Amino acid sequence: MTDPVPVAVLGARGRMGQEVCRTVEAAQDLTLVAAVDIGDELSSVADAGPLVVIDFTHPDVVMDNLRFVIEHGIHAVVGTTGFTAQRLDVVRGWLAAAPDVGVIVAPNFGIGAILSMRFAELAAPHFESVEIVELHHPDKADAPSGTAAATAHRIAAARAAADSPPIPDATTTELAGARGADIDGIRVHAVRARGLVAHQEIILGAEGETLTIRHDSLNRSSFMPGVVLATRQVAAHPGLTVGIDSLLGL
Ligand SMILES: NC(=O)C1=CN([C@@H]2O[C@H](COP(=O)(O)OP(=O)(O)OC[C@H]3O[C@@H](n4cnc5c(N)ncnc54)[C@H](OP(=O)(O)O)[C@@H]3O)[C@@H](O)[C@H]2O)C=CC1
Ligand SMILES: O=C(O)C1=N[C@H](C(=O)O)C[C@H](O)C1
């Protein structure tokens, strides 16, 4: 039997971090060597000797964390949101100097959420209209969600590849925000309400029919199979991997 993979968790006292620590401790092939949160020294992560760092912190700090981890030759599984195309390019730049290091950045590790994004991408060119509604707990720092932004980018790319016409919208008078955010021409609406965890609807419309693709994360255990899969595989995937679709064969 091989030794368990040493894992450190950043954001360990947070909602996701606590769930990830419990999951790592319960997995026979993984071992938790550091659980770090705000106020702890990042150097304690390197001192603990992890093969993989899992980051669920905050969009404002995740880039500093990633640079530290990559510079120390540690693989990273990142669930923290806030990754723009520019940020991903910066990560690729750091990885160019550390070609053996693997980094997986995924806006959503829930298998159902990942599938729903794929379904939306497939459906979008076949419908005149498409809008996204994401619904989350009110303690969430970022809006719209990373998942919604990624879904919008993928839908827009699929529509562009299919030469889809612009989405119809006759709005000429608007209270700011009423039509949501515009991400690559796709309208994204964010709802925050106590009791919710993480939910998303992609509403597609054509003459005489609508299709609604809905995903619900009812608790944070929904993200754990994807996090564990990425943690097990990241060392075998040097460079930057965005999303875990490829690990799932999608
Ligand atoms: N990819 C996915 O599948 C998922 C992604 N997420 C994303 O993960 C991130 C975290 O979400 P969630 O757990 O709900 O948020 P929380 O606020 O509950 O947890 C974040 C934790 O990170 C801590 N933290 C802040 N700065 C640092 C730092 N510099 N070093 C170490 N820890 C730090 C926070 O401390 P403090 O509270 O004191 O600031 C907090 O304990 C968000 O970006 C969220 O969108 C969430 C769910 C699933
Ligand atoms: O903050 C959350 O809770 C979540 N964040 C991720 C996102 O912004 O997409 C993933 C999931 O929606 C839960």
Side-chain angles (χ1 to χ4, degrees):
M1 202 171 122
T2 52
D3 289 339
V5 174
V7 174
V9 175
L10 299 186
R13 287 196 292 272
R15 287 174 289 271
M16 282 297 289
Q18 291 181 44
E19 187 80 35
V20 171
C21 287
R22 277 193 293 274
T23 301
V24 169
E25 283 176 321
Q28 303 249 320
D29 58 336
L30 308 176
T31 183
L32 186 66
V33 295
V36 170
D37 208 279
I38 197 159
D40 298 326
E41 289 296 329
L42 261 185
S43 57
S44 66
V45 174
D47 293 346
L51 183 74
V52 181
V53 157
I54 303 175
D55 187 302
F56 281 94
T57 55
H58 190 284
D60 291 349
V61 299
V62 65
M63 290 298 279
D64 288 342
N65 292 345
L66 252 182
R67 183 172 50 197
F68 176 90
V69 165
I70 293 169
E71 280 174 1
H72 284 78
I74 304 167
H75 307 290
V77 171
V78 182
T80 307
T81 47
F83 279 88
T84 57
Q86 290 77 9
R87 280 188 167 203
L88 292 171
D89 279 343
V90 171
V91 175
R92 285 188 190 95
W94 293 335
L95 285 168
D100 295 334
V101 174
V103 172
I104 296 176
V105 175
N108 203 310
F109 284 99
I111 308 299
I114 293 162
L115 285 169
S116 73
M117 284 190 263
R118 181 83 187 106
F119 298 155
E121 191 175 49
L122 288 174
H126 300 282
F127 288 82
E128 212 182 329
S129 301
V130 53
E131 301 210 1
I132 298 170
V133 184
E134 58 94 329
L135 310 91
H136 281 83
H137 59 91
D139 303 314
K140 183 168 176 55
D142 54 321
S145 69
T147 307
T151 308
H153 289 309
R154 287 174 62 167
I155 287 173
R159 289 176 66 91
D163 264 336
S164 303
I167 292 170
D169 182 358
T171 308
T172 50
T173 305
E174 180 191 358
L175 194 60
R179 293 287 293 117
D182 180 332
I183 299 182
D184 291 352
I186 309 299
R187 292 286 166 180
V188 180
H189 311 267
V191 176
R192 298 289 175 264
R194 187 67 66 203
L196 296 176
V197 179
H199 318 259
Q200 178 163 283
E201 285 190 1
I202 302 120
I203 302 165
L204 301 120
E207 199 60 48
E209 64 172 335
T210 64
L211 168 65
T212 302
I213 301 169
R214 181 173 172 114
H215 176 259
D216 298 278
S217 269
L218 303 174
N219 62 57
R220 291 178 179 82
S221 61
S222 59
F223 305 112
M224 294 305 116
V227 172
V228 169
L229 176 72
T231 305
R232 287 180 177 142
Q233 295 205 9
V234 65
H237 291 82
L240 177 64
T241 303
V242 180
I244 61 166
D245 302 51
S246 58
L247 307 187
L248 294 166
L250 292 173

